[in-house]
Structure formats: structure tokens, C-alpha cells
Amino acid sequence: MGLARLRKYAFAPLALTVALSLVVAACKTPNLEGPVVSRPSLATPTPTVEAEVPEAPGPTVEPEGPGISDEAIKIGVIADAGAGNAVTGGSESAWLAMRAWAQAVNSTGGLGGRDVEIVLIDSNGVDHRAAIREACESDIFALVGSYALFDGDGVDLLNDESCRLPDFPAAALSPDRRESPVTFVSNPTSNVLWPAGPARFLSERYPQSAAALGTVILDLPVAFYRVQRDIEAATEAGFGFTFQTTADVVGEDYDALASALLEAGARGIFWSADGQRLLELLKAWESLMDQLPIFFSAAPGEESAGPTEGETAEVPVEEPTSVPEEGTDAETEQASAQPGEDDTVIEEEPTGGEFFVLCSTDCYSQSWAEQAGELESNIWVSIGMLPFEEPGDNVELVRYVLFLREEVDEEAEVDLIGLSSWASALLFEEAVNRAMFTSGGGLTRELVIEAARTITEWDGRGLHGPTNPAEGIPSPCFLLMSPTPSGWIRRHPATQGTMDCDPDNLVELVESATLGLDPSRPDSAASS
């Protein structure tokens, strides 16, 4: 019943608002003591009875290991759940998503006939190495769906022969985590192949502005490594940078930062950190712009370009046409000031010099759109998965939202961290199923790792573009969204349910490829 009904609602227009009645399998108490082995009596055996020779186990029978029994399989998830982290504002959505995934799996008979049990391991923002050590010493079978800022701390423990937990995180944020031989991500990030499609698209759309961008780097090693890769890939795609600076994680003066951007002649912002800090910067920027009589005159020999359809003007307009004529219908005026239906499907012609902002997936959440939509900035957000605004295009997108809201927390916010955890959990499912199939029913950590190394074509059951998790090769696919007061709208590509998957959207890094890697590790790209 579950799958058929899910398919029915997945393609219904109101899928996310319709509650599904799902039968969740009853939880079973796992038997962690193992089988009871009896020894034969030491008394003198009866001569007339031959001793039974136990049948040798078949080659597919595997011994039970930590975190697994005939009834249950325990899965660990590491998240900065206690203190949150300084950049993403917390990764509790990974924890919630994994609980939702367990409910979904258990409602259809479990994983390999076993109930899934989720164990939270709190990395507390800065204690990731301790969290890895706890995971290695705990009674868990694998790490799945984890998301923590300093996820490179403790990778050596994870890969040690005494641990070697199958690792399927939501994302590998640190260079060392991406190089881990036991780590597999549904939509991976590579140290040497980096997305450049959004930068190429916007550099063609806004050529003058794209040549004079400003970017800000949070004062954290993991943020520095990421931005350097971002800058190299974006520069290859046509961006030019006139301003780069480092900002404090806490207590940054955004008014001063906005002034520095203006003095440097920045005509756009390229942002790779968390969305909340970008909001602070944009508020300071718009406050600064309000104090100026005019904003960014046209380049020499070029007529001033006004806002394109569906965009907000960045230049204060003083012409009479900006004032409603007497007798204008109030409803007509209000409708023209809001994004129309065509805004979601029409791609305007490039207009050259408008100020624009490009943010990565950290900005894509429902609450962020509500706040950013009130600003007048021309904001573009790049994401690598299908948006929540288009639920009818994918069954798994609907399942994630329904199980999260119906079975875990009805007020939980859906975001890409949680969806990425869900996608990597699906990848783990695939590896488990392959391991059991090839072994004839056996299931060990090493079997799952070996099975994951065979998954070279994967799209998260349609959640994202094609990837190669076994080799950590990312997808070239992306789409661009913009926030409005009423929510997100699709900007590129125009057609719902599609993504821009040009192979040239990925560029090969050279200068920044080895940043953040431990050169002493034999499997590290920095040592080769």
C-alpha cells in the first residue's frame, strides 16, 4: 500500500499538504546478547551413538558485528546538535531527517529485515574528533546522514583498522573527509572537481558586475578552504574579484564591511558562508545605499539599464513614471509590484551591470526566503537538488517531507541539510541491499563498504543530478532560485523539474586542489 499511495500523492499538486496514513512497523527490542552456545556433557558418551558433526556454515553466512542483530541495526548520526555550529546555525535537521528516514524504512519492513534504530552522537560544534572516537567505540553498525562543521577532525580514527565504520554523511565539508576511503556521499563534493555553472551563467548575464565582485571569508579553516576553491572555479567561469576580506565569526561590523565593499567598487557579492550573516551584510549594504543619491551609473558609452521583469530596481528612480498616476487601481498596482506567475518561467535578457548576489546552498531554506524576500537586492541562490517548491517531480522529496512532518516534528523546517541526509541514507540502503545480494544474505561493515565502491552511477532516486559516489565525483547539475516575500521562485533553468547539467559546469582545480589535505596521509591527494 505504501509505495502505491506515495506515488499517487507524489504527483498530486497538493502533495505536501495531504497527510498520508502510513502503517509504521512496531518497534522490536533488539537481541544484543547473541546466540546461546551449549557445550556437550563431559560425561562418558554412549558407545552406540555417533557424535553429531555440526554442519559447516555456508560461505555466505557472516558473523554478527557491532550494532547489528537479527532484529535490529543501529545507525549513528553525528551532528552539532547541542551547541549548534558557528557557520550553519546548527545541524539538528540532519538528526531529524535520520529519524524520519528510520520511520520510513521501518514502515516497509526494515532494512534487510531489521528495524533501524538511530543513535545521535553530538559533536557539540568543536568536538568532532571526540564524536568519531565515541562512534568507533559504540555499538553501532555505520554512520549515516551526519553533518558537522569540523567533520575532518578524527578522520584518521574513522579509517583506522580498529574502526572503519561505513560512513555516509549528508556532506563532506572538510577536504580530509572527502578523501576518506570509507566515506560515501549521495551528492559528493570533490577536492579537485568544483561547480562553476552558476558563475558562468551569471557572468554571461551580468558581465560588467561579474567582473567586479566582492567576497567575504569567515575566519575558520574549513571556510577558507572552501572559498579558495569557490574563487578558483568562479574565476575560471568568468567572475572577477575586486574585494576579498576575512570576517570574524562573531561580532563582525557589517556596516564597516558594506562600506569597504563600496569603496572597493564591488558591483556584486559572491557568498559561500551561512545565510544569516549574508542577511546582516545585505541589510547593512541597503542601508548604505539609501544614504547615496544614486547607485552605480552606467558604464562609459552605455545607457543605464533598468531592472528586468520580475527584479527590483537597485537604482533610486526619480522619473515621473515611478509615481502611480492619479486614479490607479489599487489592486492592479499591488499585483504589478509582486512577482507574477511568469517570473518562475521567464528568463530575461542579460542586462549587464545590475548589482547581484550569488549565494550557495547555505541560503536555501524556507525561513531564509521569508527574510531575504523583504530586501531589495537581486539575490540568486544555487542549489544542487530539486527544490521543495516542486514536490510533484519526485517521490523521495515527498517522502522526506511527509515522514519528517508526520512522524518526527510537525513544525520541522525542511532544508537541504536534512534532504542531503535523507539522500545519503538512500545511498546507504543501496549499499546494504547490494552487500546482502552479493553475499547471499550476509551483512558486515566491510561488505557494505565494498558494495558502496561499486555504486558509480547514482542520482539519489531522482533528488539530484547523476553522481559517482564510489569515486567522489560530483554532479554538474544545478538550478538557480530567488527569494521573494511569498517564497522561492525558479530562475534558471526555466522549466519545472529540470536542472542545468552541462558537463562544463564542473571545472578541474589546480591551485586550490590540495588545500586543507594532510600531506602525511598515504591516500591524500596532497601527498601525490
Side-chain angles (χ1 to χ4, degrees):
M1 155 185 163
L3 181 58
R5 195 165 187 181
L6 279 173
R7 289 186 181 277
K8 174 181 177 182
Y9 283 101
F11 296 95
L14 301 178
L16 293 179
T17 61
V18 179
L20 293 183
S21 177
L22 298 167
V23 180
V24 179
C27 297
K28 303 176 184 177
T29 303
N31 176 13
L32 303 180
E33 298 181 354
V36 177
V37 179
S38 60
R39 292 182 176 275
S41 173
L42 296 180
T44 302
T46 304
T48 57
V49 178
E50 294 183 2
E52 291 186 7
V53 178
E55 182 179 354
T60 61
V61 176
E62 299 289 344
E64 290 182 359
I68 188 170
S69 69
D70 290 339
E71 292 81 20
I73 180 169
K74 292 187 176 182
I75 303 300
V77 51
I78 297 177
D80 296 329
N85 66 55
V87 175
T88 63
S91 57
E92 62 276 356
S93 56
W95 163 232
L96 295 177
M98 288 305 298
R99 290 169 57 193
W101 169 74
Q103 292 277 12
V105 171
N106 292 342
S107 70
T108 56
L111 187 59
R114 300 171 173 89
D115 277 349
V116 175
E117 299 178 7
I118 303 297
V119 178
L120 173 64
I121 302 175
D122 189 358
S123 48
N124 200 30
V126 294
D127 296 330
H128 195 268
R129 185 176 183 84
I132 289 288
R133 181 179 290 107
E134 180 181 344
C136 292
E137 296 173 354
S138 296
D139 183 30
I140 61 175
F141 182 79
L143 287 171
V144 183
S146 302
Y147 189 91
L149 178 60
F150 299 105
D151 63 3
D153 296 346
V155 169
D156 57 324
L157 302 178
L158 180 66
N159 291 308
D160 190 84
E161 289 297 330
S162 62
C163 184
R164 289 186 66 79
L165 281 166
D167 179 37
F168 294 75
L173 303 182
S174 303
D176 277 340
R177 190 65 168 266
R178 298 176 196 134
E179 296 287 310
S180 166
V182 300
T183 298
F184 308 91
V185 182
S186 181
N187 194 7
T189 303
S190 166
N191 286 322
V192 296
L193 291 175
W194 209 258
R200 179 173 289 107
F201 174 82
L202 290 174
S203 65
E204 294 173 356
R205 184 185 185 87
Y206 305 114
Q208 285 81 34
S209 298
L213 297 178
T215 190
V216 179
I217 307 170
L218 291 187
D219 192 15
L220 291 168
V222 66
F224 173 80
Y225 302 143
R226 172 180 173 177
V227 172
Q228 294 309 308
R229 288 177 168 88
D230 279 338
I231 291 175
E232 181 178 346
T235 301
E236 176 72 17
F239 277 7
F241 293 89
T242 62
F243 179 80
Q244 297 182 43
T245 191
T246 300
D248 292 332
V249 176
V250 179
E252 178 63 34
D253 185 344
Y254 288 97
D255 290 329
L257 189 55
S259 296
L261 279 166
L262 182 63
E263 292 174 4
R267 303 186 68 162
I269 297 174
F270 181 59
W271 190 261
S272 297
D274 68 299
Q276 198 58 42
R277 284 169 178 76
L278 176 59
L279 287 177
E280 295 296 325
L281 177 58
L282 292 179
K283 291 174 183 177
W285 178 264
E286 292 192 1
S287 176
L288 180 61
M289 293 301 101
D290 289 341
Q291 303 172 35
L292 303 178
I294 192 165
F295 176 49
F296 291 154
S297 60
E302 177 187 272
E303 294 184 3
S304 295
T308 59
E309 181 181 354
E311 294 180 348
T312 304
E314 303 297 345
V315 182
V317 180
E318 299 179 358
E319 291 81 352
T321 54
S322 64
V323 180
E325 297 180 1
E326 185 176 354
T328 299
D329 182 81
E331 292 183 3
T332 302
E333 178 185 343
Q334 182 180 12
S336 64
Q338 295 181 359
E341 185 177 353
D342 289 343
D343 291 332
T344 62
V345 298
I346 293 179
E347 294 185 26
E348 305 86 353
E349 292 298 320
T351 50
E354 289 85 351
F355 185 91
F356 73 89
V357 180
L358 173 60
C359 185
S360 61
T361 57
D362 294 310
C363 290
Y364 181 71
S365 70
Q366 307 310 301
S367 60
W368 199 87
E370 294 172 4
Q371 300 175 70
E374 301 296 333
L375 301 175
E376 296 182 351
S377 297
N378 178 22
I379 302 173
W380 299 72
V381 175
S382 171
I383 63 176
M385 306 183 84
L386 287 177
F388 296 112
E389 290 70 27
E390 301 173 10
D393 292 300
N394 187 266
V395 172
E396 288 299 331
L397 192 64
V398 176
R399 291 182 71 227
Y400 162 65
V401 176
L402 287 177
F403 276 96
L404 179 68
R405 294 275 177 81
E406 296 292 325
E407 303 294 340
V408 177
D409 185 348
E410 63 182 8
E411 297 182 355
E413 181 177 19
V414 293
D415 61 18
L416 289 186
I417 294 177
L419 187 58
S420 296
S421 291
W422 181 282
S424 283
L426 299 181
L427 180 65
F428 173 68
E429 278 188 64
E430 178 69 15
V432 167
N433 291 335
R434 290 193 184 194
M436 296 186 67
F437 177 79
T438 57
S439 68
L443 189 59
T444 66
R445 292 174 173 176
E446 195 58 38
L447 283 172
V448 171
I449 292 172
E450 290 302 320
R453 290 174 180 162
T454 69
I455 306 176
T456 57
E457 296 181 4
W458 177 254
D459 65 358
R461 296 183 188 170
L463 288 176
H464 52 72
T467 68
N468 180 345
E471 301 177 49
I473 298 176
S475 170
C477 302
F478 76 95
L479 61 89
L480 290 166
M481 308 284 286
S482 287
T484 72
S486 58
W488 292 99
I489 59 172
R490 170 187 280 267
R491 301 297 297 280
H492 171 77
T495 305
Q496 180 170 308
T498 66
M499 305 181 80
D500 183 334
C501 295
D502 190 326
D504 290 338
N505 290 337
L506 292 177
V507 298
E508 186 173 356
L509 301 177
V510 178
E511 296 179 359
S512 61
T514 60
L515 282 177
L517 294 175
D518 182 358
S520 64
R521 275 181 43 201
D523 58 340
S524 171
S527 63
S528 57

